[in-house]
Amino acid sequence: MKGIATILVIAMYSTFVLADLPHYTTYKSFQTAFYECAEYYHVPNCTVRRYIEQSYPPEEEVRKLIRCTLINLGAWDDDNGVRDAVISNYFVPSPGDTCYERRTRECLDNMFYDCRNSRAYESFKCYYRYYGELITDDQFVPYAELELQQLALTSLTIAKLPYDVLVQYCKGDIVNEEHFPELLFVLLVRGGYYSTQNGWNLENMYTQLGDQILLDPYTQQCIDGVAKEKCNADEVSRLFATWQQCLGQYGPLIQQYVQNAAKTLVGDPDGCICTNSLYNGNWVI
């Protein structure tokens, strides 16, 4: 019996270590987000189930719940409207349907709405009617702006860089600094864009950035080429080389978040001078 128990423990441990860890990422289904919003607005579960069974009818409470749900999933903001790279993850087009994107776009271009709730609701209904089947799977929820900044700040803190490096970063001298590849590794793994088990997650990057180039076969071919070229390099070096050769167009964005985070840690956003620093020149364990 002891031998069987040991085997079971080893099997469970192996399953755990082979799976991607959650880190800072959130995965959520449309239905989960919908129920969460119902809780925010004190809508009973029986009513929520009715709304789902009736395919989200055009009632004012449903409009309010749909807007909340899309915000909850990072798929909507009132200034820019719906984010296709996010909401499309929750729908699967019918096999053989080659016109779903065009029909959805035409619906979005021609929809009528009279308030914020209606605009979000009508946008959702365009996808619901024309894009495909609404699925129940959890999907990656992109970070809001403040969450991206927190991701950079936490990653920078985890990396535990020397104070003079933080000063250098807050001045904008980042990408050529020797510690940056390790910091980039922490940030991308924690953010759900890279996994030590499965490598680059271009789908999550696309959901976050909405850049179609990330799903272009050329991008994956570039990544595979670097992996082959750097097969004997350590993982951090391989990741950094891939970033430079295949994903370098996103470098300025990452550097901006790192610079802002470094300014926060240094304590003087203007001059990067050791004034009221969180660390006072030393790391405290």
Side-chain angles (χ1 to χ4, degrees):
M1 290 296 293
K2 184 177 180 181
I4 294 175
T6 301
I7 292 172
L8 289 174
V9 169
I10 292 173
M12 291 173 62
Y13 175 76
S14 299
T15 301
F16 175 75
V17 298
L18 290 176
D20 284 344
L21 296 170
H23 296 286
Y24 192 54
T25 56
T26 299
Y27 289 83
K28 192 178 295 187
S29 71
F30 186 91
Q31 286 77 6
T32 296
F34 193 68
Y35 270 97
E36 287 176 346
C37 287
E39 189 168 299
Y40 302 151
Y41 294 132
H42 314 291
V43 180
N45 286 344
C46 59
T47 303
V48 175
R49 287 193 293 271
R50 177 175 68 82
Y51 290 154
I52 294 174
E53 291 168 359
Q54 295 179 355
S55 300
Y56 308 97
E59 301 177 17
E60 184 54 37
E61 187 168 64
V62 178
R63 293 188 178 98
K64 183 169 65 172
L65 287 172
I66 288 294
R67 175 177 173 271
C68 171
T69 299
L70 296 183
I71 293 172
N72 193 348
L73 297 173
W76 176 267
D77 72 69
D78 291 327
D79 293 328
N80 300 306
V82 70
R83 295 175 64 183
D84 177 78
V86 182
I87 192 173
S88 60
N89 291 335
Y90 295 92
F91 294 88
V92 174
S94 300
D97 185 355
T98 60
C99 299
Y100 62 93
E101 289 180 308
R102 176 181 58 79
R103 290 196 307 271
T104 304
R105 178 50 52 191
E106 289 176 352
C107 177
L108 291 170
D109 291 341
N110 296 313
M111 69 183 184
F112 173 79
Y113 58 89
D114 55 8
C115 67
R116 288 180 177 179
N117 287 342
S118 292
R119 184 183 172 208
Y121 174 79
E122 294 300 334
S123 297
F124 163 74
K125 292 296 279 190
C126 284
Y127 283 86
Y128 192 75
R129 295 189 190 104
Y130 299 117
Y131 201 93
E133 180 184 359
L134 181 63
I135 60 176
T136 59
D137 304 54
D138 290 346
Q139 302 293 332
F140 174 72
V141 178
Y143 303 105
E145 184 67 22
L146 289 177
E147 291 172 321
L148 285 171
Q149 193 57 62
Q150 185 61 52
L151 172 61
L153 182 62
T154 304
S155 299
L156 201 55
T157 305
I158 289 171
K160 199 176 181 183
L161 303 179
Y163 183 76
D164 61 327
V165 173
L166 292 178
V167 173
Q168 182 175 336
Y169 281 7
C170 78
K171 292 179 179 179
D173 184 4
I174 298 171
V175 71
N176 295 318
E177 196 277 322
E178 64 177 347
H179 296 88
F180 181 65
E182 192 69 51
L183 171 63
L184 183 66
F185 178 82
V186 173
L187 194 152
L188 292 175
V189 170
R190 182 168 173 77
Y193 307 120
Y194 183 86
S195 161
T196 57
Q197 298 299 324
N198 299 307
W200 292 89
N201 193 321
L202 297 178
E203 289 79 11
N204 283 4
M205 292 184 68
Y206 172 70
T207 298
Q208 184 69 57
L209 300 171
D211 188 348
Q212 194 68 38
I213 293 175
L214 289 162
L215 302 183
D216 192 300
Y218 172 79
T219 302
Q220 187 61 58
Q221 291 169 11
C222 180
I223 290 173
D224 293 341
V226 175
K228 184 177 181 180
E229 177 187 344
K230 302 287 186 180
C231 61
N232 293 322
D234 64 87
E235 189 166 22
V236 172
S237 298
R238 191 164 57 248
L239 175 143
F240 189 60
T242 304
W243 178 264
Q244 290 181 307
Q245 296 182 40
C246 307
L247 301 164
Q249 64 267 39
Y250 309 112
L253 180 63
I254 290 288
Q255 291 176 63
Q256 186 60 59
Y257 286 117
V258 171
Q259 182 178 11
N260 290 340
K263 287 180 180 180
T264 299
L265 294 178
V266 168
D268 187 343
D270 297 321
C272 298
I273 301 171
C274 182
T275 303
N276 296 324
S277 168
L278 298 179
Y279 302 111
N280 297 319
N282 297 298
W283 288 101
V284 178
I285 299 177

